[in-house]
Amino acid sequence: MIAFIPVDPKKKKVIVENGINIENDYNKKIGLRGVNVKCISGFLSPDLVLTDFVAIRVNTENSYIAN
């Protein structure tokens, strides 16, 4: 599954070259079963998004996807 996440234009090149690190690049914290969890907020789209977003492949077996 491909998701688009917003990124700071200054960090975009680093993320594209090295990948995303949830510990450093998270953009949201949510409460899940009484614990604050670092998350990456983004959206799914069938169309290519070329602005300040990066496309990432999401492994749905090891991910929690919420609406």
Side-chain angles (χ1 to χ4, degrees), residues 3-21:
F4 293 91
I5 58 166
V7 295
D8 182 7
K10 298 172 193 167
K11 293 179 72 177
K12 189 172 186 175
K13 184 177 179 182
V14 173
I15 289 174
V16 168
E17 291 176 357
N18 301 325
I20 195 160
N21 181 340

